[in-house]
């Protein structure tokens, strides 16, 4: 079915461009421009000078300000051995071929203690990341609310609603987010440091080699200083992207052989989002994220999740991902989706992000498609 590969090219030629870059705006768009030029065509952009009026751009560069403002706040901190939470990893170090979907070890602690663990990663044997995705900015970090906008006005006007969730992210250079997608229109504002995104449009779903992985969770022992991976019981499986876009030199040949549709196909779109800039990340786009810290050793960002429209584009995507496809580069490989997953119209909820407000934690859950929730 070379028509699917033709679709990847046509999406770029007709709408997204072939440069591999993301369109940049020097200032925030009007609501009409944003809706017409980016939301409706499902096209990302980076907006410069979007948050220069936020007090956070200056005040959050000082640890003393943050620890003072959040001196009595308890926040959720996520621990992993390598900075890769919510990712497909070997469930047993002795058998790297057997993978699971691993969630971080989560614990609550005073914010000053959490920040110290984040900015001093070499003093620990784990990577700490404040990445709770349950509208945490408006709950755990509410003391900082006056330092930035409660919503993005031009996006709110264009989308016709207020954000469903607002989250704060505080990490260091070791934290990395694997390829995934969200059922949200995402306005991602960097306050300190830089975020480096790889982006692929929904048309490229077969290139992500989505597999069904058994869910597991890291457990960290303070006594031994070691992590173990514990499978969830009862067992459940999480559909997740298999591709690591940055394999080690010794693993690169193997990765390119296993995932030819990714490595031999059109290059992903790339962008770096700096302090004071906002990335508009359209719903259903696959994205991989790395980060560079500021001088104090941390990267801070806020993202605003707005509900997506479950419209004809969503129906198109559901149809596309249901189509079995084998690589023409290596026909001996299994199909990218259907050979591994029994996907139906409700199983497209493998987004990674907002955990519903009824108490779900940071693990990924499936939602029916008529629900507005999950990540």
């Amino acid at each position: 079915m070379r028509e699917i590969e033709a679709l990847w090219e046509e999406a770029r030629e007709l709408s997204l461009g072939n440069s591999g870059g993301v369109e940049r705006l020097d200032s925030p768009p009007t609501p009409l421009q944003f809706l017409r030029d980016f939301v409706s065509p499902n096209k990302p952009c980076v907006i410069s000078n979007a948050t220069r009026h936020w007090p956070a751009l200056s005040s959050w560069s000082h640890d003393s300000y943050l620890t003072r403002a959040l001196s009595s706040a308890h926040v959720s901190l996520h621990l992993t051995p390598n900075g890769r939470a919510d990712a497909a990893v070997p469930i047993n170090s002795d058998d790297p071929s057997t993978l699971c979907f691993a969630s971080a070890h989560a614990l609550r602690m005073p914010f000053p203690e959490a920040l110290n663990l984040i900015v001093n990663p070499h003093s620990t044997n784990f990577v700490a990341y404040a990445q709770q995705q349950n509208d945490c900015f408006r709950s755990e970090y509410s003391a900082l609310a006056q330092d930035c906008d409660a919503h993005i006005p031009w996006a709110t006007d264009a989308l016709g609603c207020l954000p469903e969730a607002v989250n704060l992210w505080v990490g260091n250079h070791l934290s990395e987010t694997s390829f995934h997608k969200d059922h949200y229109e995402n306005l991602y504002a960097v306050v300190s440091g830089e975020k480096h995104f790889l982006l692929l449009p929904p048309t490229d779903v077969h290139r992500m080699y989505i597999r069904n992985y058994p869910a597991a969770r890291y457990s960290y022992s303070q006594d031994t200083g070691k992590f173990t991976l514990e499978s969830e019981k009862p067992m459940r499986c999480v559909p997740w992207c298999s591709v690591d876009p940055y394999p080690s030199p010794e693993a690169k040949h193997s990765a390119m052989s296993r995932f030819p549709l990714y490595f031999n196909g059109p290059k992903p779109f790339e962008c770096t989002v700096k302090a004071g800039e906002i990335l508009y990340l359209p719903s259903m786009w696959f994205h991989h994220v790395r980060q560079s810290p500021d001088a104090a050793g941390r990267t801070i960002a806020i993202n605003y999740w707005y509900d997506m429209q479950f419209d004809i584009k969503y129906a198109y995507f559901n149809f596309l991902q249901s189509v079995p496809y084998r690589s023409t580069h290596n026909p001996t490989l299994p199909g990218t989706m259907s050979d591994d997953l029994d996907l139906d119209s409700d199983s497209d909820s493998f987004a990674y992000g907002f955990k519903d407000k009824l108490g779900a934690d940071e693990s990924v859950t499936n939602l029916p498609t008529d629900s507005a929730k999950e990540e």
Side-chain angles (χ1 to χ4, degrees):
M1 294 182 63
R2 294 184 181 276
E3 292 83 359
I4 288 181
E5 294 187 25
L7 177 63
W8 307 336
E9 302 291 350
E10 288 178 357
R12 288 158 174 79
E13 292 174 359
L14 296 174
S15 176
L16 304 173
N18 289 301
S19 68
V22 174
E23 185 170 344
R24 301 187 72 92
L25 306 180
D26 292 331
S27 59
T30 66
L32 177 60
Q33 179 189 5
F34 181 57
L35 182 61
R36 179 193 63 210
D37 296 345
F38 300 103
V39 178
S40 292
N42 199 238
K43 180 179 178 180
C45 64
V46 176
I47 303 99
S48 300
N49 302 306
T51 59
R52 293 296 178 187
H53 60 287
W54 287 8
L57 267 290
S58 57
S59 59
W60 291 8
S61 62
H62 304 288
D63 286 353
S64 58
Y65 175 86
L66 293 171
T67 54
R68 183 170 63 251
L70 296 167
S71 60
S72 60
H74 280 66
V75 302
S76 300
L77 192 68
H78 294 225
L79 308 183
T80 59
N82 53 16
R84 300 186 68 221
D86 294 327
V89 303
I91 196 166
N92 187 329
S93 59
D94 296 330
D95 183 11
S97 64
T98 303
L99 304 180
C100 66
F101 175 82
S103 299
H105 178 89
L107 56 115
R108 290 182 62 80
M109 64 177 61
F111 174 79
E113 181 180 342
L115 182 62
N116 181 63
L117 293 175
I118 292 169
V119 301
N120 294 293
H122 301 299
S123 65
T124 67
N125 55 355
F126 54 76
V127 178
Y129 194 13
Q131 57 148 16
Q132 187 76 2
Q133 300 142 49
N134 60 350
D135 200 28
C136 66
F137 186 67
R138 296 191 289 202
S139 55
E140 294 181 355
Y141 300 96
S142 60
L144 300 175
Q146 73 279 2
D147 294 338
C148 52
D149 292 337
H151 63 104
I152 307 299
W154 42 269
T156 297
D157 289 347
L159 298 170
C161 61
L162 289 167
E164 175 89 1
V166 184
N167 302 305
L168 183 71
W169 309 73
V170 186
N172 57 47
H173 67 288
L174 298 173
S175 298
E176 180 177 316
T177 303
S178 63
F179 264 124
H180 68 282
K181 66 175 178 60
D182 303 315
H183 291 74
Y184 288 97
E185 305 292 352
N186 193 350
L187 278 297
Y188 202 100
V190 175
V191 177
S192 186
E194 298 179 351
K195 295 274 185 171
H196 312 290
F197 287 83
L198 293 180
L199 308 175
L200 284 176
T203 52
D204 292 30
V205 58
H206 295 91
R207 301 178 62 201
M208 293 285 87
Y209 293 85
I210 295 162
R211 299 287 186 258
N212 219 13
Y213 294 106
R217 185 176 300 277
Y218 283 113
S219 178
Y220 178 72
S221 170
Q222 294 184 347
D223 293 334
T224 65
K226 295 182 179 180
F227 283 90
T228 56
L229 264 175
E230 299 177 355
S231 299
E232 290 192 10
K233 293 184 175 51
M235 191 190 84
R236 67 183 180 93
C237 288
V238 178
W240 203 254
C241 303
S242 302
V243 176
D244 177 2
Y246 300 108
S248 63
E250 56 271 17
K252 186 172 183 178
H253 178 74
S254 173
M256 294 181 70
S257 298
R258 292 169 61 212
F259 309 121
L261 295 180
Y262 177 82
F263 288 101
N264 297 334
K267 291 187 180 299
F269 295 87
E270 296 186 55
C271 66
T272 292
V273 187
K274 300 180 180 181
E277 297 180 335
I278 290 178
L279 168 66
Y280 166 56
L281 181 57
S283 57
M284 313 296 284
W285 272 64
F286 296 95
H287 49 289
H288 180 282
V289 193
R290 297 195 296 181
Q291 50 195 21
S292 298
D294 60 14
R298 66 280 204 292
T299 306
I300 305 177
I302 295 178
N303 86 292
Y304 300 78
W305 269 325
Y306 289 82
D307 277 346
M308 65 171 279
Q309 294 296 315
F310 290 86
D311 55 14
I312 192 68
K313 288 183 293 187
Y314 183 68
Y316 288 152
F317 179 83
N318 272 348
F319 169 75
L320 177 63
Q321 76 162 7
S322 72
V323 175
Y325 181 67
R326 290 184 181 275
S327 169
T328 57
H329 302 284
N330 188 343
T332 63
L333 287 174
T336 56
M337 298 187 72
S338 299
D339 289 354
D340 296 274
L341 301 177
D342 181 17
L343 290 178
D344 57 27
S345 61
D346 283 348
S347 65
D348 183 44
S349 298
F350 59 94
Y352 161 80
F354 179 37
K355 311 309 180 282
D356 67 63
K357 297 174 184 175
L358 299 179
D361 61 12
E362 67 284 356
S363 65
V364 175
T365 57
N366 287 331
L367 287 181
T369 54
D370 60 355
S371 172
K373 307 294 187 302
E374 195 254 305
E375 207 197 276

